[in-house]
Amino acid sequence: MQGERVSFTGILASMTHAQAADRVSEQGGQASEHISRQSTLLVVGEEGWPLEDDGHVSVKLQHAQKLQSEGVQVRILNESDWLYLMGLTHDTEQVRRLYTPAMLSSLLSLDVHVIRRWERVGLIRAVQRVGRLPYFDFREVSGIRRLAELLKAGVPRQEIETSLVELCKLRGVNDDPLRQLAILASDSHVLIRDAHGLKQPRSGQRVFDFEGLAAAPDLNADDHDISADHPHSLRFDAHRQTVQLPDGNWFTEGCRLADDGDVHDAIEAFRLALMTDASDPLIHFHLADCLYRTDNPHGALERYYTATELDHDYLEAWTQVGCIHRELGQLKLALDAFDIALDVHADYPDAHFHKAQTLHELGRRLEARHHWERYLTYDQRGPWADLARSRLSEPEA
């Protein structure tokens, strides 16, 4: 960084802008708030897409690109590349770290039900799984959150799409963000095609098209028109018939109702689903979630237990069992649940965090320290990480 004049745009995933400026200064460079002809480097943050509130590419990035077109030697680097250049390998690992749904919920201030729904409809994909527990790439989820915020604020989809085309080229990624934008922007009458056919993006429910399936757009086609309206979707005409396939069942309806906030109706749908298949732990888990959302922790606890009886390695269900016991003041029972989760998956961040909290409340702070420290090996940022550091800074009793 010696002699470099560096600016930052977008939210950095590894540190704050102030911390990044300090790192630049430590290595002999100069950090600047603004882009000018004296600038030599612009670093683009990787927490979400660097889009302004009007959906356009960040002002700093636009300015840097304009200077490049005028022959000014200013480089544009992604955050990960800048960290590698700085020799900050630990921070690079932080950017690429994977997160559970609960960790993302805390970090991004997103309801965990939203994260699960996004996976169900194909907006995000789990990078890996341990049993039923998905782990996600933080950057992917935070990027979709930014797109959703802009659409909710009324920014036209076309504005966002134009910016994404430019940013995809900069980051060297494929057109996944455009597909995600198409799903977010569509309503319940728009159907998307995936490898298994057509489905409604909001509910994930499968439908069958009697006409025109051969002419439907292919999500994997190389020659699609990204500027066309709903590039990866298919809207049925009024005269076209659709029917729900047999797998469009009460479980799917329960998920849709829960997503829409109709929790009481969702409970009834999940109960009807259990009449068809009472041995599916996933249905019990979703029913438990809804019962908890209606201030029925005892009913939820029984359903979470049922889910673990049907699938002993259901990590998220064990975590919920522990959290409800802790909420009810049954701390030793909570510890038992978290211990079972850690027996199944010793590197389960959520269980380490919640076990540490429970041990802290029991006054067993020395034991809690081990789990606070373990949690911080998985996560260095966000409210949970801040709490862990705060607990570790407390004097030992």
Side-chain angles (χ1 to χ4, degrees):
M1 285 293 107
Q2 185 70 38
E4 297 272 11
R5 186 179 178 90
V6 186
S7 295
F8 300 90
T9 188
I11 301 175
L12 299 173
S14 59
M15 64 189 78
T16 66
H17 280 212
Q19 291 169 333
D22 289 341
R23 297 295 181 93
V24 170
S25 298
E26 290 167 4
Q27 297 200 19
Q30 180 181 354
S32 174
E33 286 284 334
H34 307 288
I35 285 288
S36 68
R37 289 185 172 274
Q38 286 70 48
S39 299
T40 61
L41 179 62
L42 176 67
V43 178
V44 181
E46 294 186 16
E47 180 169 330
W49 293 98
L51 299 171
E52 302 287 353
D53 290 341
D54 60 1
H56 292 111
V57 174
S58 79
V59 173
K60 288 182 183 178
L61 184 52
Q62 291 182 56
H63 192 186
Q65 290 173 319
K66 182 176 183 295
L67 289 173
Q68 283 182 332
S69 69
E70 295 172 356
V72 177
Q73 298 298 308
V74 54
R75 293 178 295 164
I76 300 173
L77 287 181
N78 291 321
E79 180 180 354
S80 295
D81 295 332
W82 173 73
L83 290 169
Y84 180 80
L85 183 67
M86 294 278 287
L88 303 174
T89 54
H90 173 76
D91 299 278
T92 306
E93 292 171 2
Q94 176 65 25
V95 172
R96 302 185 186 281
R97 202 177 296 272
L98 302 181
Y99 293 82
T100 66
M103 293 167 74
L104 286 171
S105 176
S106 170
L107 185 59
L108 297 174
S109 299
L110 272 175
D111 193 307
V112 71
H113 302 100
V114 173
I115 296 169
R116 290 179 182 143
R117 174 179 173 270
W118 282 358
E119 182 191 18
R120 192 167 63 250
V121 302
L123 273 168
I124 55 177
R125 292 181 289 267
V127 176
Q128 69 179 52
R129 288 183 181 276
V130 178
R132 295 177 184 271
L133 175 68
Y135 282 85
F136 299 104
D137 183 330
F138 165 77
R139 290 176 296 178
E140 181 182 27
V141 180
S142 61
I144 294 173
R145 181 190 66 165
R146 182 57 177 153
L147 300 183
E149 289 172 345
L150 292 172
L151 287 170
K152 186 176 181 180
V155 178
R157 176 186 153 190
Q158 290 75 13
E159 297 285 350
I160 305 172
E161 192 172 272
T162 300
S163 298
L164 283 179
V165 171
E166 186 174 346
L167 291 170
C168 284
K169 293 177 183 177
L170 175 67
R171 285 195 178 178
V173 299
N174 57 25
D175 65 351
D176 274 358
L178 297 170
R179 176 185 63 83
Q180 293 160 346
L181 177 63
I183 297 173
L184 283 170
S186 59
D187 59 27
S188 60
H189 302 295
V190 178
L191 305 175
I192 63 170
R193 174 178 294 282
D194 61 14
H196 306 289
L198 297 172
K199 67 180 180 180
Q200 294 177 346
R202 290 193 64 200
S203 67
Q205 185 159 337
R206 296 288 169 189
V207 298
F208 184 79
D209 176 18
F210 283 114
E211 299 178 15
L213 285 181
D218 183 356
L219 274 178
N220 298 316
D222 294 329
D223 58 350
H224 62 268
D225 179 6
I226 58 176
S227 65
D229 188 35
H230 300 300
H232 300 305
S233 61
L234 177 67
R235 184 183 295 277
F236 282 0
D237 296 328
H239 68 277
R240 184 174 292 176
Q241 293 177 288
T242 63
V243 298
Q244 296 177 359
L245 286 176
D247 67 350
N249 51 28
W250 282 111
F251 173 73
T252 300
E253 179 65 7
C255 291
R256 184 192 68 79
L257 290 165
D259 291 340
D260 289 343
D262 299 327
V263 183
H264 289 283
D265 288 340
I267 289 172
E268 295 308 311
F270 289 132
R271 291 191 189 281
L272 288 167
L274 288 172
M275 294 177 66
T276 303
D277 186 1
S279 63
D280 188 340
L282 187 63
I283 303 175
H284 287 280
F285 183 88
H286 280 268
L287 175 56
D289 272 354
C290 288
L291 289 169
Y292 184 80
R293 290 166 68 182
T294 58
D295 297 320
N296 184 358
H298 292 91
L301 185 61
E302 286 305 311
R303 289 297 175 174
Y304 283 129
Y305 266 122
T306 303
T308 63
E309 290 163 4
L310 294 168
D311 180 358
H312 177 268
D313 295 347
Y314 204 149
L315 290 164
E316 288 185 285
W318 279 119
T319 304
Q320 294 302 99
V321 165
C323 287
I324 292 179
H325 275 309
R326 179 170 166 262
E327 180 181 311
L328 296 174
Q330 301 162 345
L331 301 185
K332 292 185 178 180
L333 288 175
L335 281 182
D336 289 341
F338 299 138
D339 283 338
I340 293 172
L342 289 171
D343 284 342
V344 175
H345 181 29
D347 290 319
Y348 184 21
D350 302 15
H352 283 290
F353 178 84
H354 292 302
K355 183 174 180 180
Q357 280 191 308
T358 309
L359 288 168
H360 181 87
E361 291 176 15
L362 284 167
R364 295 159 59 179
R365 298 190 177 185
L366 185 60
E367 294 174 71
R369 288 186 67 87
H370 167 71
H371 295 282
W372 292 127
E373 290 168 350
R374 280 293 297 272
Y375 181 77
L376 288 173
T377 65
Y378 311 111
D379 178 24
Q380 290 290 320
R381 55 205 302 270
W384 283 11
D386 290 343
L387 178 59
R389 279 189 289 269
S390 174
R391 294 302 189 204
L392 288 170
S393 68
E394 295 176 359
E396 294 185 14

